[in-house]
Amino acid sequence: MPLTNGHYPAKNPQWMAAGQPSGTYRTNLERALVVSDFAALTTQVMQSTALYLQAGDLVTNLTFKSGATAAATPTNWWFALYSDDATPVLLAQSADQTTAAWAANTAKTLALSSPVNIPRSGLYSAAVMVKAGTTPSLLGAGTILGAVSGFVAGDMVLAQNSGASLVATAPSTITSGAAIGFVPRVVAT
């Protein structure tokens, strides 16, 4: 398929529906597949989702969108990008948003600490963590847990929770993840 601006297929309707952006624009779910407003986050636990990135992509920001539930009394929250290694390694994290509000039905775009030049095409992991009295719900696709965790040997888990008691800093790796039955939509730009 031909590329536009060297990054996103020109004939892909998602690219056109996104305003035909220049530069990197990657998402794990087409907007039409976003059918769930899910209370998937657990306070102080990181949720990560598989995100295909191509060699040469320059990822500067990650965007997640809350659903009908806003964050109530947040104290820490951030986004992070992890490698495509068997044990994913932290590539960059946004600044901790501390007590900044995350209202209902609001897309949040956070800049990573430094842009990440993707070295090879593959499935990376985009992550979100919120420590709050009430975590926001996220928009994405609810599915059956068995589908998220894979059908055959080698399938990558599409979404998982990992870590505990997290606050201002993302873990250096994703380990001991537990698959969840919800895939949040994320956009990398």
PDB file of all heavy atoms in Angstrom, residues 24-54:
ATOM      1  N   THR A  24       4.090  10.788  12.055  1.00  0.00           N
ATOM      2  CA  THR A  24       3.614   9.514  12.592  1.00  0.00           C
ATOM      3  C   THR A  24       2.185   9.631  13.092  1.00  0.00           C
ATOM      4  O   THR A  24       1.836  10.581  13.793  1.00  0.00           O
ATOM      5  CB  THR A  24       4.529   9.058  13.748  1.00  0.00           C
ATOM      6  OG1 THR A  24       5.850   8.893  13.241  1.00  0.00           O
ATOM      7  CG2 THR A  24       4.059   7.757  14.359  1.00  0.00           C
ATOM      8  N   TYR A  25       1.369   8.669  12.723  1.00  0.00           N
ATOM      9  CA  TYR A  25       0.016   8.534  13.257  1.00  0.00           C
ATOM     10  C   TYR A  25      -0.301   7.045  13.270  1.00  0.00           C
ATOM     11  O   TYR A  25      -0.560   6.448  12.232  1.00  0.00           O
ATOM     12  CB  TYR A  25      -1.016   9.277  12.409  1.00  0.00           C
ATOM     13  CG  TYR A  25      -2.423   9.189  12.980  1.00  0.00           C
ATOM     14  CD1 TYR A  25      -2.910  10.163  13.834  1.00  0.00           C
ATOM     15  CD2 TYR A  25      -3.246   8.105  12.680  1.00  0.00           C
ATOM     16  CE1 TYR A  25      -4.189  10.069  14.360  1.00  0.00           C
ATOM     17  CE2 TYR A  25      -4.524   8.004  13.209  1.00  0.00           C
ATOM     18  CZ  TYR A  25      -4.982   8.990  14.056  1.00  0.00           C
ATOM     19  OH  TYR A  25      -6.239   8.899  14.591  1.00  0.00           O
ATOM     20  N   ARG A  26      -0.230   6.434  14.434  1.00  0.00           N
ATOM     21  CA  ARG A  26      -0.500   4.998  14.569  1.00  0.00           C
ATOM     22  C   ARG A  26      -1.548   4.801  15.647  1.00  0.00           C
ATOM     23  O   ARG A  26      -1.534   5.495  16.673  1.00  0.00           O
ATOM     24  CB  ARG A  26       0.761   4.233  14.980  1.00  0.00           C
ATOM     25  CG  ARG A  26       1.910   4.391  14.042  1.00  0.00           C
ATOM     26  CD  ARG A  26       1.866   3.373  12.930  1.00  0.00           C
ATOM     27  NE  ARG A  26       3.030   3.587  12.087  1.00  0.00           N
ATOM     28  CZ  ARG A  26       2.947   3.782  10.785  1.00  0.00           C
ATOM     29  NH1 ARG A  26       1.798   3.754  10.176  1.00  0.00           N
ATOM     30  NH2 ARG A  26       4.040   3.977  10.091  1.00  0.00           N
ATOM     31  N   THR A  27      -2.419   3.845  15.428  1.00  0.00           N
ATOM     32  CA  THR A  27      -3.419   3.499  16.427  1.00  0.00           C
ATOM     33  C   THR A  27      -3.589   1.987  16.460  1.00  0.00           C
ATOM     34  O   THR A  27      -3.347   1.315  15.453  1.00  0.00           O
ATOM     35  CB  THR A  27      -4.767   4.204  16.159  1.00  0.00           C
ATOM     36  OG1 THR A  27      -5.666   3.889  17.215  1.00  0.00           O
ATOM     37  CG2 THR A  27      -5.357   3.814  14.826  1.00  0.00           C
ATOM     38  N   ASN A  28      -3.982   1.473  17.595  1.00  0.00           N
ATOM     39  CA  ASN A  28      -4.184   0.028  17.714  1.00  0.00           C
ATOM     40  C   ASN A  28      -5.589  -0.401  17.321  1.00  0.00           C
ATOM     41  O   ASN A  28      -5.819  -1.578  17.076  1.00  0.00           O
ATOM     42  CB  ASN A  28      -3.869  -0.438  19.138  1.00  0.00           C
ATOM     43  CG  ASN A  28      -4.788   0.162  20.167  1.00  0.00           C
ATOM     44  OD1 ASN A  28      -5.350   1.243  19.979  1.00  0.00           O
ATOM     45  ND2 ASN A  28      -4.943  -0.517  21.279  1.00  0.00           N
ATOM     46  N   LEU A  29      -6.543   0.517  17.284  1.00  0.00           N
ATOM     47  CA  LEU A  29      -7.945   0.209  16.930  1.00  0.00           C
ATOM     48  C   LEU A  29      -8.500   1.302  16.038  1.00  0.00           C
ATOM     49  O   LEU A  29      -8.317   2.488  16.329  1.00  0.00           O
ATOM     50  CB  LEU A  29      -8.836   0.162  18.176  1.00  0.00           C
ATOM     51  CG  LEU A  29      -8.657  -0.944  19.178  1.00  0.00           C
ATOM     52  CD1 LEU A  29      -9.499  -0.660  20.422  1.00  0.00           C
ATOM     53  CD2 LEU A  29      -9.046  -2.274  18.580  1.00  0.00           C
ATOM     54  N   GLU A  30      -9.205   0.912  14.988  1.00  0.00           N
ATOM     55  CA  GLU A  30      -9.934   1.906  14.215  1.00  0.00           C
ATOM     56  C   GLU A  30     -11.035   2.482  15.100  1.00  0.00           C
ATOM     57  O   GLU A  30     -11.582   1.788  15.952  1.00  0.00           O
ATOM     58  CB  GLU A  30     -10.541   1.265  12.969  1.00  0.00           C
ATOM     59  CG  GLU A  30      -9.512   0.805  11.963  1.00  0.00           C
ATOM     60  CD  GLU A  30     -10.155   0.253  10.704  1.00  0.00           C
ATOM     61  OE1 GLU A  30     -11.333   0.566  10.434  1.00  0.00           O
ATOM     62  OE2 GLU A  30      -9.467  -0.483   9.998  1.00  0.00           O
ATOM     63  N   ARG A  31     -11.371   3.744  14.877  1.00  0.00           N
ATOM     64  CA  ARG A  31     -12.409   4.379  15.704  1.00  0.00           C
ATOM     65  C   ARG A  31     -13.729   3.631  15.647  1.00  0.00           C
ATOM     66  O   ARG A  31     -14.453   3.555  16.638  1.00  0.00           O
ATOM     67  CB  ARG A  31     -12.617   5.831  15.294  1.00  0.00           C
ATOM     68  CG  ARG A  31     -11.550   6.741  15.836  1.00  0.00           C
ATOM     69  CD  ARG A  31     -11.902   8.187  15.670  1.00  0.00           C
ATOM     70  NE  ARG A  31     -11.883   8.544  14.258  1.00  0.00           N
ATOM     71  CZ  ARG A  31     -12.455   9.634  13.761  1.00  0.00           C
ATOM     72  NH1 ARG A  31     -13.122  10.454  14.539  1.00  0.00           N
ATOM     73  NH2 ARG A  31     -12.388   9.902  12.483  1.00  0.00           N
ATOM     74  N   ALA A  32     -14.071   3.071  14.493  1.00  0.00           N
ATOM     75  CA  ALA A  32     -15.339   2.353  14.346  1.00  0.00           C
ATOM     76  C   ALA A  32     -15.388   1.098  15.217  1.00  0.00           C
ATOM     77  O   ALA A  32     -16.464   0.583  15.495  1.00  0.00           O
ATOM     78  CB  ALA A  32     -15.568   1.976  12.887  1.00  0.00           C
ATOM     79  N   LEU A  33     -14.244   0.601  15.659  1.00  0.00           N
ATOM     80  CA  LEU A  33     -14.196  -0.583  16.515  1.00  0.00           C
ATOM     81  C   LEU A  33     -14.261  -0.240  18.004  1.00  0.00           C
ATOM     82  O   LEU A  33     -14.315  -1.130  18.848  1.00  0.00           O
ATOM     83  CB  LEU A  33     -12.937  -1.397  16.223  1.00  0.00           C
ATOM     84  CG  LEU A  33     -12.830  -1.946  14.805  1.00  0.00           C
ATOM     85  CD1 LEU A  33     -11.508  -2.680  14.614  1.00  0.00           C
ATOM     86  CD2 LEU A  33     -14.002  -2.856  14.490  1.00  0.00           C
ATOM     87  N   VAL A  34     -14.251   1.040  18.329  1.00  0.00           N
ATOM     88  CA  VAL A  34     -14.349   1.472  19.726  1.00  0.00           C
ATOM     89  C   VAL A  34     -15.816   1.393  20.120  1.00  0.00           C
ATOM     90  O   VAL A  34     -16.625   2.225  19.720  1.00  0.00           O
ATOM     91  CB  VAL A  34     -13.782   2.896  19.919  1.00  0.00           C
ATOM     92  CG1 VAL A  34     -14.007   3.384  21.334  1.00  0.00           C
ATOM     93  CG2 VAL A  34     -12.303   2.918  19.568  1.00  0.00           C
ATOM     94  N   VAL A  35     -16.149   0.361  20.888  1.00  0.00           N
ATOM     95  CA  VAL A  35     -17.550   0.103  21.217  1.00  0.00           C
ATOM     96  C   VAL A  35     -17.789   0.003  22.721  1.00  0.00           C
ATOM     97  O   VAL A  35     -18.896  -0.290  23.147  1.00  0.00           O
ATOM     98  CB  VAL A  35     -18.054  -1.183  20.533  1.00  0.00           C
ATOM     99  CG1 VAL A  35     -18.057  -1.019  19.017  1.00  0.00           C
ATOM    100  CG2 VAL A  35     -17.197  -2.383  20.923  1.00  0.00           C
ATOM    101  N   SER A  36     -16.745   0.253  23.515  1.00  0.00           N
ATOM    102  CA  SER A  36     -16.891   0.083  24.962  1.00  0.00           C
ATOM    103  C   SER A  36     -16.364   1.289  25.724  1.00  0.00           C
ATOM    104  O   SER A  36     -15.369   1.896  25.349  1.00  0.00           O
ATOM    105  CB  SER A  36     -16.120  -1.157  25.440  1.00  0.00           C
ATOM    106  OG  SER A  36     -16.583  -2.314  24.808  1.00  0.00           O
ATOM    107  N   ASP A  37     -17.053   1.595  26.796  1.00  0.00           N
ATOM    108  CA  ASP A  37     -16.613   2.565  27.794  1.00  0.00           C
ATOM    109  C   ASP A  37     -16.399   1.715  29.033  1.00  0.00           C
ATOM    110  O   ASP A  37     -17.348   1.288  29.672  1.00  0.00           O
ATOM    111  CB  ASP A  37     -17.710   3.605  28.002  1.00  0.00           C
ATOM    112  CG  ASP A  37     -17.367   4.608  29.090  1.00  0.00           C
ATOM    113  OD1 ASP A  37     -16.322   4.465  29.758  1.00  0.00           O
ATOM    114  OD2 ASP A  37     -18.167   5.540  29.285  1.00  0.00           O
ATOM    115  N   PHE A  38     -15.148   1.411  29.336  1.00  0.00           N
ATOM    116  CA  PHE A  38     -14.841   0.348  30.276  1.00  0.00           C
ATOM    117  C   PHE A  38     -14.063   0.852  31.476  1.00  0.00           C
ATOM    118  O   PHE A  38     -13.096   1.595  31.331  1.00  0.00           O
ATOM    119  CB  PHE A  38     -14.021  -0.718  29.537  1.00  0.00           C
ATOM    120  CG  PHE A  38     -14.118  -2.095  30.124  1.00  0.00           C
ATOM    121  CD1 PHE A  38     -15.234  -2.880  29.912  1.00  0.00           C
ATOM    122  CD2 PHE A  38     -13.084  -2.602  30.882  1.00  0.00           C
ATOM    123  CE1 PHE A  38     -15.320  -4.157  30.434  1.00  0.00           C
ATOM    124  CE2 PHE A  38     -13.152  -3.876  31.405  1.00  0.00           C
ATOM    125  CZ  PHE A  38     -14.276  -4.653  31.182  1.00  0.00           C
ATOM    126  N   ALA A  39     -14.459   0.437  32.659  1.00  0.00           N
ATOM    127  CA  ALA A  39     -13.736   0.770  33.889  1.00  0.00           C
ATOM    128  C   ALA A  39     -12.595  -0.229  34.058  1.00  0.00           C
ATOM    129  O   ALA A  39     -12.621  -1.095  34.917  1.00  0.00           O
ATOM    130  CB  ALA A  39     -14.683   0.727  35.083  1.00  0.00           C
ATOM    131  N   ALA A  40     -11.611  -0.134  33.187  1.00  0.00           N
ATOM    132  CA  ALA A  40     -10.534  -1.127  33.121  1.00  0.00           C
ATOM    133  C   ALA A  40      -9.365  -0.822  34.048  1.00  0.00           C
ATOM    134  O   ALA A  40      -8.600  -1.719  34.381  1.00  0.00           O
ATOM    135  CB  ALA A  40     -10.026  -1.234  31.693  1.00  0.00           C
ATOM    136  N   LEU A  41      -9.207   0.426  34.426  1.00  0.00           N
ATOM    137  CA  LEU A  41      -8.041   0.799  35.232  1.00  0.00           C
ATOM    138  C   LEU A  41      -8.248   0.478  36.705  1.00  0.00           C
ATOM    139  O   LEU A  41      -9.329   0.664  37.252  1.00  0.00           O
ATOM    140  CB  LEU A  41      -7.749   2.292  35.089  1.00  0.00           C
ATOM    141  CG  LEU A  41      -7.290   2.752  33.707  1.00  0.00           C
ATOM    142  CD1 LEU A  41      -7.229   4.278  33.664  1.00  0.00           C
ATOM    143  CD2 LEU A  41      -5.935   2.164  33.373  1.00  0.00           C
ATOM    144  N   THR A  42      -7.179   0.013  37.322  1.00  0.00           N
ATOM    145  CA  THR A  42      -7.125  -0.182  38.769  1.00  0.00           C
ATOM    146  C   THR A  42      -6.105   0.809  39.291  1.00  0.00           C
ATOM    147  O   THR A  42      -5.006   0.928  38.729  1.00  0.00           O
ATOM    148  CB  THR A  42      -6.676  -1.623  39.107  1.00  0.00           C
ATOM    149  OG1 THR A  42      -7.634  -2.526  38.556  1.00  0.00           O
ATOM    150  CG2 THR A  42      -6.579  -1.836  40.608  1.00  0.00           C
ATOM    151  N   THR A  43      -6.431   1.534  40.343  1.00  0.00           N
ATOM    152  CA  THR A  43      -5.515   2.537  40.856  1.00  0.00           C
ATOM    153  C   THR A  43      -4.135   1.929  41.122  1.00  0.00           C
ATOM    154  O   THR A  43      -4.021   0.825  41.647  1.00  0.00           O
ATOM    155  CB  THR A  43      -6.089   3.236  42.112  1.00  0.00           C
ATOM    156  OG1 THR A  43      -5.254   4.368  42.423  1.00  0.00           O
ATOM    157  CG2 THR A  43      -6.170   2.300  43.307  1.00  0.00           C
ATOM    158  N   GLN A  44      -3.111   2.629  40.691  1.00  0.00           N
ATOM    159  CA  GLN A  44      -1.700   2.296  40.888  1.00  0.00           C
ATOM    160  C   GLN A  44      -1.235   1.049  40.139  1.00  0.00           C
ATOM    161  O   GLN A  44      -0.187   0.496  40.420  1.00  0.00           O
ATOM    162  CB  GLN A  44      -1.363   2.158  42.366  1.00  0.00           C
ATOM    163  CG  GLN A  44      -1.470   3.475  43.119  1.00  0.00           C
ATOM    164  CD  GLN A  44      -1.005   3.340  44.538  1.00  0.00           C
ATOM    165  OE1 GLN A  44      -1.811   3.067  45.429  1.00  0.00           O
ATOM    166  NE2 GLN A  44       0.281   3.529  44.750  1.00  0.00           N
ATOM    167  N   VAL A  45      -2.028   0.593  39.158  1.00  0.00           N
ATOM    168  CA  VAL A  45      -1.660  -0.546  38.319  1.00  0.00           C
ATOM    169  C   VAL A  45      -1.573  -0.043  36.882  1.00  0.00           C
ATOM    170  O   VAL A  45      -2.443   0.697  36.421  1.00  0.00           O
ATOM    171  CB  VAL A  45      -2.696  -1.686  38.432  1.00  0.00           C
ATOM    172  CG1 VAL A  45      -2.401  -2.801  37.436  1.00  0.00           C
ATOM    173  CG2 VAL A  45      -2.727  -2.226  39.856  1.00  0.00           C
ATOM    174  N   MET A  46      -0.515  -0.429  36.184  1.00  0.00           N
ATOM    175  CA  MET A  46      -0.325  -0.004  34.801  1.00  0.00           C
ATOM    176  C   MET A  46      -1.106  -0.915  33.863  1.00  0.00           C
ATOM    177  O   MET A  46      -1.116  -2.133  34.033  1.00  0.00           O
ATOM    178  CB  MET A  46       1.171  -0.050  34.452  1.00  0.00           C
ATOM    179  CG  MET A  46       1.491   0.417  33.054  1.00  0.00           C
ATOM    180  SD  MET A  46       3.267   0.549  32.766  1.00  0.00           S
ATOM    181  CE  MET A  46       3.721  -1.189  32.649  1.00  0.00           C
ATOM    182  N   GLN A  47      -1.743  -0.314  32.878  1.00  0.00           N
ATOM    183  CA  GLN A  47      -2.415  -1.075  31.828  1.00  0.00           C
ATOM    184  C   GLN A  47      -1.676  -0.782  30.529  1.00  0.00           C
ATOM    185  O   GLN A  47      -1.431   0.379  30.191  1.00  0.00           O
ATOM    186  CB  GLN A  47      -3.864  -0.657  31.700  1.00  0.00           C
ATOM    187  CG  GLN A  47      -4.615  -1.491  30.696  1.00  0.00           C
ATOM    188  CD  GLN A  47      -6.081  -1.158  30.709  1.00  0.00           C
ATOM    189  OE1 GLN A  47      -6.574  -0.550  29.767  1.00  0.00           O
ATOM    190  NE2 GLN A  47      -6.772  -1.529  31.766  1.00  0.00           N
ATOM    191  N   SER A  48      -1.285  -1.836  29.819  1.00  0.00           N
ATOM    192  CA  SER A  48      -0.588  -1.648  28.549  1.00  0.00           C
ATOM    193  C   SER A  48      -1.340  -2.358  27.441  1.00  0.00           C
ATOM    194  O   SER A  48      -2.045  -3.341  27.674  1.00  0.00           O
ATOM    195  CB  SER A  48       0.853  -2.151  28.641  1.00  0.00           C
ATOM    196  OG  SER A  48       0.897  -3.505  29.025  1.00  0.00           O
ATOM    197  N   THR A  49      -1.182  -1.840  26.238  1.00  0.00           N
ATOM    198  CA  THR A  49      -1.853  -2.401  25.075  1.00  0.00           C
ATOM    199  C   THR A  49      -0.880  -2.470  23.908  1.00  0.00           C
ATOM    200  O   THR A  49       0.008  -1.625  23.776  1.00  0.00           O
ATOM    201  CB  THR A  49      -3.106  -1.569  24.710  1.00  0.00           C
ATOM    202  OG1 THR A  49      -3.823  -2.221  23.668  1.00  0.00           O
ATOM    203  CG2 THR A  49      -2.778  -0.160  24.292  1.00  0.00           C
ATOM    204  N   ALA A  50      -1.037  -3.500  23.090  1.00  0.00           N
ATOM    205  CA  ALA A  50      -0.173  -3.691  21.927  1.00  0.00           C
ATOM    206  C   ALA A  50      -0.437  -2.595  20.897  1.00  0.00           C
ATOM    207  O   ALA A  50      -1.587  -2.223  20.643  1.00  0.00           O
ATOM    208  CB  ALA A  50      -0.420  -5.056  21.311  1.00  0.00           C
ATOM    209  N   LEU A  51       0.639  -2.079  20.312  1.00  0.00           N
ATOM    210  CA  LEU A  51       0.551  -1.003  19.327  1.00  0.00           C
ATOM    211  C   LEU A  51       1.600  -1.244  18.258  1.00  0.00           C
ATOM    212  O   LEU A  51       2.797  -1.248  18.556  1.00  0.00           O
ATOM    213  CB  LEU A  51       0.782   0.354  20.006  1.00  0.00           C
ATOM    214  CG  LEU A  51       0.857   1.576  19.101  1.00  0.00           C
ATOM    215  CD1 LEU A  51      -0.483   1.823  18.398  1.00  0.00           C
ATOM    216  CD2 LEU A  51       1.275   2.805  19.903  1.00  0.00           C
ATOM    217  N   TYR A  52       1.155  -1.455  17.013  1.00  0.00           N
ATOM    218  CA  TYR A  52       2.098  -1.667  15.916  1.00  0.00           C
ATOM    219  C   TYR A  52       2.752  -0.345  15.532  1.00  0.00           C
ATOM    220  O   TYR A  52       2.063   0.659  15.287  1.00  0.00           O
ATOM    221  CB  TYR A  52       1.387  -2.262  14.693  1.00  0.00           C
ATOM    222  CG  TYR A  52       2.321  -2.397  13.521  1.00  0.00           C
ATOM    223  CD1 TYR A  52       3.255  -3.427  13.476  1.00  0.00           C
ATOM    224  CD2 TYR A  52       2.293  -1.480  12.481  1.00  0.00           C
ATOM    225  CE1 TYR A  52       4.140  -3.548  12.415  1.00  0.00           C
ATOM    226  CE2 TYR A  52       3.170  -1.590  11.415  1.00  0.00           C
ATOM    227  CZ  TYR A  52       4.093  -2.621  11.391  1.00  0.00           C
ATOM    228  OH  TYR A  52       4.966  -2.726  10.338  1.00  0.00           O
ATOM    229  N   LEU A  53       4.077  -0.351  15.496  1.00  0.00           N
ATOM    230  CA  LEU A  53       4.852   0.808  15.043  1.00  0.00           C
ATOM    231  C   LEU A  53       5.825   0.344  13.972  1.00  0.00           C
ATOM    232  O   LEU A  53       6.300  -0.795  14.016  1.00  0.00           O
ATOM    233  CB  LEU A  53       5.613   1.437  16.214  1.00  0.00           C
ATOM    234  CG  LEU A  53       4.740   1.998  17.344  1.00  0.00           C
ATOM    235  CD1 LEU A  53       5.589   2.402  18.532  1.00  0.00           C
ATOM    236  CD2 LEU A  53       3.911   3.180  16.837  1.00  0.00           C
ATOM    237  N   GLN A  54       6.116   1.230  13.020  1.00  0.00           N
ATOM    238  CA  GLN A  54       7.028   0.893  11.932  1.00  0.00           C
ATOM    239  C   GLN A  54       8.401   1.497  12.162  1.00  0.00           C
ATOM    240  O   GLN A  54       8.520   2.587  12.750  1.00  0.00           O
ATOM    241  CB  GLN A  54       6.483   1.409  10.594  1.00  0.00           C
ATOM    242  CG  GLN A  54       5.324   0.625  10.071  1.00  0.00           C
ATOM    243  CD  GLN A  54       4.913   1.082   8.677  1.00  0.00           C
ATOM    244  OE1 GLN A  54       5.292   2.138   8.205  1.00  0.00           O
ATOM    245  NE2 GLN A  54       4.119   0.274   8.016  1.00  0.00           N
TER     246      GLN A  54
END
